[in-house]
Amino acid sequence: IVCLDDVRKEYALGGTVTALDGIGLSLPAGSYTAVMGPSGSGKSTLLNLIGALDTPTAGRVSVDGTDIADLSENDRAKLRGTKIGFVFQTFNLMPRLSARENVELPLVFAEWDTDRRTERAESLLDRVGLGDRMDHMPQELSGGQRQRVAIARALATDPAIVLADEPTGNVDTETGDEIMSLLADTHDRGNTILLVTHERRIAEHADRIVHVRDGRREDTETIGGD
Amino acid sequence: IVCLDDVRKEYALGGTVTALDGIGLSLPAGSYTAVMGPSGSGKSTLLNLIGALDTPTAGRVSVDGTDIADLSENDRAKLRGTKIGFVFQTFNLMPRLSARENVELPLVFAEWDTDRRTERAESLLDRVGLGDRMDHMPQELSGGQRQRVAIARALATDPAIVLADEPTGNVDTETGDEIMSLLADTHDRGNTILLVTHERRIAEHADRIVHVRDGRREDTETIGGD
Ligand SMILES: Nc1ncnc2c1ncn2[C@@H]1O[C@H](COP(=O)(O)OP(=O)(O)OP(=O)(O)O)[C@@H](O)[C@H]1O
Ligand SMILES: Nc1ncnc2c1ncn2[C@@H]1O[C@H](COP(=O)(O)OP(=O)(O)OP(=O)(O)O)[C@@H](O)[C@H]1O
Ligand SMILES: [Mg+2]
Ligand SMILES: [Mg+2]
């Protein structure tokens, strides 16, 4: 469902900054993959390309059979709206919308009717422990609470592909476990998950851990057991 | 050097949201204290009060012998500029300044001369592994790189009190260790450190771990040995 072929991403800044240095990756439908690597090694860049938020400098990124470089800006937005759920490393919540309204946003674009939308948003916020914070604005929430709103929003439409960029970085162990259990349920329903994390114990929830360094892949671990 | 006496912080939102529910805390000069607790338990609120960014609803916050409620907005800014270094959970970098310029900012306010300022900023950025990222703007940096700029900025004036809100949440283990080594050196020179973290192994670098839950203190652990 996701295929990267010798993908490069470079920025022209001073000299050239190479964020991805020839990355290949295949994510079959329903797979659960974690990505680990040093700060600055290209993980968020990788997710941004898969999420069609950016295009590669070279190489090919295919999502659901389509080369994202062939898509217009409109079609990329459509792909993101229907098939991809993105949890951003810096949350990126709409500052003038409440937690509930932030989670409803993808459902508005997907044209869900009002009652179903509210019910879905509230159920997800409840699931991540924010049942008593639904009317709070982002600046009235703690760091980890904002992170959880971002997670609920990413899962709102139950998207085929979930891209989670360090979803537990701002929460305690217990809250992190609840987030991982929510992702596990999503995976059990057949969704594809790509999870970037700095924490080994979080990565081990996946079936496979891909290690990156300096924009390239290093070794890959298969996580045994169920 | 820092003393909290039965501090409460409440927000009027819908009903009343209690962020801190009667917290007492004493940080002697040169102490190294970690704070752990669930997401939403009041840790960032605690740091904001100690950092004189906010005032309590009830109770007293004293920093360096002064009750911060007695200070004018100007004097609080002066206290922050001279005595407190703050690493924010969400970094709060100036978006139109480069990494180097962000780190120089406290030194500009402290009226350091230009050459010393640049030398100090570059040396700190080098120390956190950003020697080749000094000209990058925040949006041209990874999440963990922004976090490291925030740390360098907080330490720029070598402030008497360092308040670090989850300083390793966005970086890998190795980079996290480098950050902790920088904080250890700061502590060795006699600075006072208060570190909020969700990671046990990070908290254990401190001499004491204060646990909080629902805006109150729970148990406190003394970390033995060196
Ligand atoms: N401006 C505000 N208005 C209303 N409630 C607020 C406001 N700011 C914070 N809160 C609430 O106060 C509580 C404490 O927030 P705080 O940011 O101190 O938590 P925290 O311990 O730092 O959490 P985290 O580990 O997620 O960063 C949270 O439940 C939050 O929803
Ligand atoms: N717009 C840009 N211009 C120049 N360089 C950039 C830009 N965006 C990112 N970079 C660089 O690309 C590299 C990869 O960034 P990326 O955000 O993918 O790292 P990461 O693995 O997610 O790191 P972290 O774990 O710190 O979040 C970094 O070294 C960063 O400085
Ligand atoms: Mg990143
Ligand atoms: Mg916090």
Side-chain angles (χ1 to χ4, degrees), chain A residues 2-222:
Chain A
V2 172
C3 182
L4 271 67
D5 184 313
D6 202 23
V7 165
R8 307 190 60 78
K9 184 64 184 180
E10 294 169 2
Y11 298 101
L13 186 73
T16 304
V17 175
T18 300
L20 294 177
D21 195 17
I23 286 245
L25 184 70
S26 158
L27 305 182
S31 57
Y32 193 165
T33 309
V35 178
M36 295 188 82
S39 172
S41 56
K43 307 177 297 299
S44 296
T45 303
L46 177 67
L47 252 57
N48 287 343
L49 291 179
I50 294 168
L53 287 163
D54 200 358
T55 46
T57 309
R60 188 180 309 164
V61 178
S62 303
V63 178
D64 212 15
T66 314
D67 185 338
I68 59 158
D70 294 340
L71 297 176
S72 67
E73 188 50 62
N74 263 346
D75 288 340
R76 263 192 272 143
K78 210 149 155 285
L79 174 71
R80 288 196 302 266
T82 54
K83 295 194 173 151
I84 297 170
F86 208 127
V87 186
F88 293 95
Q89 188 170 4
T90 49
F91 324 146
N92 298 351
L93 302 180
M94 304 298 294
R96 299 219 189 87
L97 300 181
S98 70
R100 183 195 290 100
E101 289 164 335
N102 262 284
V103 178
E104 285 192 21
L105 213 46
L107 304 172
V108 171
F109 289 130
E111 296 174 4
W112 285 37
D113 82 25
T114 312
D115 295 342
R116 280 193 64 219
R117 229 169 52 203
T118 304
E119 183 185 356
R120 172 70 173 167
E122 296 193 347
S123 142
L124 277 166
L125 284 169
D126 217 50
R127 180 76 196 270
V128 292
L130 295 179
D132 60 354
R133 289 287 183 271
M134 302 199 201
D135 295 311
H136 283 231
M137 307 302 284
Q139 63 274 16
E140 295 165 342
L141 294 171
S142 78
Q145 290 169 343
R146 289 176 210 168
Q147 186 158 43
R148 284 180 272 163
V149 175
I151 290 160
R153 179 181 64 179
L155 298 177
T157 59
D158 195 21
I161 301 166
V162 178
L163 304 174
D165 202 345
E166 307 199 34
T168 62
N170 282 277
V171 300
D172 51 286
T173 305
E174 232 165 301
T175 307
D177 289 344
E178 281 156 40
I179 290 168
M180 295 316 290
S181 137
L182 178 51
L183 287 178
D185 291 351
T186 307
H187 178 235
D188 286 346
R189 285 196 307 275
N191 302 50
T192 304
I193 303 187
L194 184 63
L195 162 75
V196 168
T197 183
H198 280 303
E199 287 188 74
R200 177 86 203 176
R201 71 180 193 90
I202 295 293
E204 289 175 347
H205 285 258
D207 296 325
R208 203 169 57 124
I209 302 179
V210 171
H211 292 274
V212 300
R213 179 179 292 273
D214 296 328
R216 282 195 219 100
R217 279 181 70 161
E218 290 191 315
D219 52 304
T220 302
E221 296 176 66
T222 308

Side-chain angles (χ1 to χ4, degrees), chain B:
Chain B
I1 200 169
V2 173
C3 182
L4 273 66
D5 184 313
D6 201 23
V7 165
R8 307 189 62 75
K9 183 64 183 179
E10 293 169 2
Y11 298 101
L13 187 73
T16 303
V17 174
T18 301
L20 293 177
D21 195 18
I23 286 247
L25 184 70
S26 160
L27 305 181
S31 57
Y32 193 164
T33 308
V35 179
M36 294 187 81
S39 172
S41 56
K43 305 177 299 297
S44 295
T45 304
L46 178 66
L47 252 57
N48 287 344
L49 291 180
I50 295 169
L53 287 163
D54 200 357
T55 46
T57 309
R60 190 179 309 166
V61 178
S62 303
V63 177
D64 211 17
T66 313
D67 184 339
I68 59 158
D70 294 341
L71 296 177
S72 67
E73 189 48 62
N74 263 346
D75 288 341
R76 263 192 272 144
K78 210 148 155 288
L79 174 72
R80 290 195 301 267
T82 53
K83 295 191 174 153
I84 297 169
F86 207 127
V87 186
F88 294 95
Q89 188 171 3
T90 49
F91 321 149
N92 299 352
L93 301 180
M94 304 297 294
R96 299 218 190 89
L97 298 182
S98 70
R100 183 195 290 99
E101 289 164 336
N102 263 283
V103 177
E104 285 191 23
L105 213 47
L107 305 172
V108 171
F109 290 129
E111 295 175 5
W112 284 37
D113 81 25
T114 311
D115 294 342
R116 281 193 62 220
R117 227 167 55 199
T118 303
E119 184 185 356
R120 172 71 173 166
E122 296 193 346
S123 142
L124 278 165
L125 284 169
D126 217 48
R127 180 79 197 267
V128 293
L130 295 179
D132 60 354
R133 290 288 183 271
M134 303 201 201
D135 294 312
H136 283 231
M137 307 303 284
Q139 62 275 16
E140 295 165 342
L141 294 171
S142 77
Q145 290 168 342
R146 290 177 210 167
Q147 186 158 44
R148 284 180 271 164
V149 176
I151 290 160
R153 179 181 65 179
L155 298 177
T157 59
D158 195 23
I161 301 166
V162 178
L163 305 175
D165 201 345
E166 307 198 35
T168 62
N170 281 278
V171 301
D172 53 287
T173 305
E174 230 165 302
T175 307
D177 289 345
E178 280 157 41
I179 290 168
M180 296 315 291
S181 138
L182 179 51
L183 288 178
D185 291 351
T186 307
H187 179 237
D188 285 346
R189 286 197 306 273
N191 302 51
T192 304
I193 303 187
L194 184 65
L195 161 75
V196 168
T197 181
H198 282 303
E199 288 188 73
R200 176 84 203 177
R201 70 179 193 93
I202 294 294
E204 288 176 347
H205 285 258
D207 297 325
R208 202 169 59 125
I209 303 179
V210 171
H211 292 275
V212 300
R213 178 180 293 274
D214 297 329
R216 284 194 218 100
R217 279 180 70 161
E218 295 193 311
D219 52 303
T220 302
E221 294 177 68
T222 308
I223 302 298
D226 54 1

